[in-house]
Amino acid sequence: SPSTPTTQQPRQPIQTTLIETVYNPTMSEKETELATVFIGTVIHCTGLSELHILEDHALGVDKHGRIQFLKPEKQVAAGLLSSACVKRLKKGQFLLPGFVDTHVHGPQYVFSGTGYDLPLLKWLEKYTFPVESKFSSAEYAANVYERMVSRLVDNGTTLAVYFGTIHNNGTEELARAVLRKGQRAQVGKVNMDREAPDYYVEDTKESLENTIEFVKTIQDMKSDLVTPIITPRFAVSCTDALLEGLGKIAKEYDLPIQSHLSENTDEISLVLSQFPDRSNYTDVYDHYGLLNEKTIMAHCVYLSDDEIEVIKSRGCGVSHCPASNINLCSGVLPLRKLLQAGVKVGLGTDVSGGHAPSMLDAMRHAMDSSKFTTIQHRDATPLSYKEALFLATLGGCEAISVDKELGNFETGKFFDALIIDPNSEDSPFDTFPSDDLADVLSKFVYLGDDRNVAEVFVSGKQIHTRSRSD
């Protein structure tokens, strides 16, 4: 019998306004500097509610990996194309900015997908510390990190903010794995001088000295792709002296900072007992100069209004780690409240509190978590797939204060990008003639995986391509 036509709901218009920026090379510069021109559909965000789907566009990348132009193909001079490598996307493919994972524990990749039977503090004791202690072996670390970084890149993560371990040699192997793969990363040697087992704890003085040594070692690698980041594990595992010293190192070397904040109610109670002179958990970090515009704090589930105001006023970013928050029964972040307060928020997989090294998974859990909040508080607006994509790209860059250089396809930024193929031979979802580009993008966010990530670029250089054998 003939099929019954379906009734489609009215579609919301997709913004197609092109944002102009200050980087405008002269024509002679374009002719000599242009390396590659991508032609096809380009999708990116310029704000939380600003999604741009640009069909039949040309995106030019210079030999330094920066974007020279983004304009309709018909506006590009033929002579300009003749001086560059032209890459036409296949039918159905589109360009996306690379994903930004603002919180991932490199060593915990070993036991990701296991051990979700305990809350945070007991989980650390039973699973995390025993595994992380093995990374005193550079050989062991190199083997794990090579596989872990490759897995993240396969899933489209072009920039990651990594926790290593307390070991300099092991964490240096993480930086080397990043460089070999061509990924972009902030890499932190973890600091912890208390509330840890004897086999996995540092002396305060040595922790600070080793941190300076680690910073210098990473800087001596002389790569724009890898940046050292100051990494007190969390206030629970750091004495006043260690936090004070790390604040001074971060200031002296002008380094980014990462840690955990208000992830779990037992953790918060322990911190307040350890630091009785501080007004709240956030105040502990603030007191020691660890909160500024280059700070990213993971979780932040239970921040008070006063704490939210401090986070905003200091310019700190928040890494929302919804999968981990659920897996360890930590809580549900009131995401919309933070966004409405003007706090910068990105997404984190939080491997291995989060079970998957995929930012698509983080996006889905962020949408689910926001709906949990909406179920409890009917006036709360759930996160849309467009907003989730923003958080996984430009939002993450804003959260770690690199959005002037990365996060979307504005002129002058580095070309960190993905070619997405919804019609790959083994795609986990199907598209239909009735689907418009917004539908296909939504299907990719909800249903796609690494099988749809055809190619990955960092600074204009292809660092991953998915062959048929993959």
Side-chain angles (χ1 to χ4, degrees):
S1 61
S3 60
T4 303
T6 58
T7 301
Q8 294 194 2
Q9 297 297 319
R11 302 188 187 282
Q12 295 183 354
I14 301 297
Q15 298 185 34
T16 57
T17 305
L18 188 62
I19 305 299
E20 296 293 338
T21 55
V22 297
Y23 182 83
N24 289 305
T26 64
M27 182 57 69
S28 61
E29 286 177 320
K30 289 180 180 179
E31 292 173 348
T32 58
E33 299 283 310
L34 193 62
T36 308
V37 177
F38 295 84
I39 297 177
T41 298
V42 180
I43 301 176
H44 71 157
C45 300
T46 56
L48 179 63
S49 58
E50 297 169 4
L51 174 71
H52 303 259
I53 297 181
L54 309 173
E55 297 184 69
D56 301 319
H57 268 60
L59 187 154
V61 181
D62 68 21
K63 66 181 183 181
H64 305 293
R66 289 187 181 272
I67 299 166
Q68 285 198 347
F69 60 82
L70 174 59
K71 61 181 69 175
E73 179 188 359
K74 61 185 178 182
Q75 294 182 11
V76 181
L80 192 60
L81 295 179
S82 65
S83 65
C85 172
V86 178
K87 185 175 180 67
R88 287 189 178 273
L89 303 190
K90 297 177 182 178
K91 183 179 180 180
Q93 291 183 336
F94 54 86
L95 279 174
L96 275 184
F99 296 144
V100 180
D101 190 342
T102 59
H103 188 68
V104 52
H105 290 265
Q108 294 178 20
Y109 179 68
V110 173
F111 65 100
S112 56
T114 69
Y116 299 120
D117 56 330
L118 295 171
L120 175 65
L121 298 180
K122 293 181 179 179
W123 178 82
L124 289 170
E125 293 175 5
K126 181 176 180 179
Y127 299 109
T128 302
F129 294 152
V131 169
E132 290 193 5
S133 67
K134 297 178 182 179
F135 284 75
S136 59
S137 165
E139 181 180 1
Y140 180 82
N143 177 270
V144 171
Y145 289 145
E146 193 77 22
R147 298 161 71 180
M148 183 271 302
V149 172
S150 292
R151 182 71 68 179
L152 264 69
V153 170
D154 291 353
N155 279 278
T157 299
T158 54
L159 169 57
V161 183
Y162 288 116
F163 272 62
T165 62
I166 66 175
H167 316 102
N168 280 38
N169 59 345
T171 309
E172 288 161 13
E173 291 300 327
L174 174 53
R176 294 187 182 100
V178 166
L179 290 178
R180 283 192 296 270
K181 189 64 181 178
Q183 192 187 41
R184 196 184 299 275
Q186 295 180 352
V187 178
K189 172 224 167 302
V190 171
N191 301 93
M192 43 194 292
D193 64 347
R194 68 170 171 182
E195 293 292 335
D198 292 340
Y199 62 83
Y200 190 55
V201 70
E202 300 175 289
D203 169 79
T204 305
K205 183 172 181 292
E206 289 181 354
S207 181
L208 294 171
E209 291 174 347
N210 289 342
T211 298
I212 294 172
E213 180 184 344
F214 174 78
V215 167
K216 292 180 177 178
T217 297
I218 302 303
Q219 291 178 338
D220 285 345
M221 293 179 181
K222 300 188 184 304
S223 172
D224 293 335
L225 294 180
V226 178
T227 302
I229 180 169
I230 297 302
T231 308
R233 184 174 209 109
F234 60 164
V236 168
S237 63
C238 299
T239 61
D240 296 71
L242 182 56
L243 292 173
E244 181 178 11
L246 292 173
K248 291 178 179 178
I249 293 171
K251 183 176 181 179
E252 179 180 354
Y253 290 88
D254 190 25
L255 295 174
I257 301 163
Q258 65 175 340
S259 193
H260 301 84
L261 174 62
S262 293
E263 177 178 359
N264 169 285
T265 53
D266 290 339
E267 166 209 13
I268 296 169
S269 297
L270 181 54
V271 169
L272 295 179
S273 70
Q274 292 174 317
F275 300 90
D277 295 334
R278 305 274 63 87
S279 57
N280 52 51
Y281 196 164
T282 300
D283 187 43
V284 175
Y285 293 119
D286 195 37
H287 179 75
Y288 292 111
L290 292 164
L291 299 184
N292 58 48
E293 69 282 353
K294 297 174 78 172
T295 298
I296 180 81
M297 285 286 169
H299 302 288
C300 299
V301 175
Y302 297 101
L303 297 181
S304 66
D305 290 345
D306 288 344
E307 289 176 288
I308 291 173
E309 180 56 35
V310 170
I311 292 294
K312 177 188 175 183
S313 66
R314 300 293 185 268
C316 304
V318 168
S319 177
H320 178 27
C321 304
S324 174
N325 291 343
I326 294 168
N327 284 339
L328 302 183
C329 297
S330 295
V332 177
L333 177 78
L335 175 61
R336 188 66 66 180
K337 180 178 181 179
L338 266 62
L339 293 173
Q340 291 175 341
V343 174
K344 303 181 301 183
V345 181
L347 296 180
T349 59
D350 194 18
V351 169
S352 91
H355 50 270
S358 164
M359 287 301 293
L360 286 168
D361 187 82
M363 283 185 252
R364 293 162 193 160
H365 279 89
M367 291 185 286
D368 287 345
S369 293
S370 75
K371 290 174 182 177
F372 297 160
T373 303
T374 301
I375 290 169
Q376 295 173 325
H377 308 282
R378 287 296 177 179
D379 58 339
T381 304
L383 192 72
S384 71
Y385 80 91
K386 300 173 187 178
E387 293 173 314
L389 181 63
F390 166 81
L391 296 179
T393 55
L394 182 59
C397 291
E398 290 179 352
I400 59 174
S401 296
V402 297
D403 51 297
K404 292 183 179 180
E405 299 280 354
L406 303 163
N408 60 16
F409 296 130
E410 291 181 349
T411 307
K413 292 187 177 183
F414 284 109
F415 184 71
D416 287 13
L418 315 175
I419 294 180
I420 302 302
D421 188 358
N423 303 314
S424 61
E425 184 175 327
D426 53 353
S427 176
F429 64 92
D430 296 303
T431 61
F432 297 90
S434 58
D435 293 332
D436 66 11
L437 285 170
D439 293 327
V440 175
L441 177 62
S442 178
K443 286 187 174 186
F444 170 66
V445 170
Y446 274 103
L447 302 169
D449 60 25
D450 60 308
R451 289 170 287 183
N452 301 114
V453 181
E455 298 180 48
V456 180
F457 298 84
V458 170
S459 288
K461 178 183 177 182
Q462 184 194 75
I463 65 169
H464 171 70
T465 181
R466 191 168 187 275
S467 65
R468 188 176 297 270
S469 61
D470 288 344

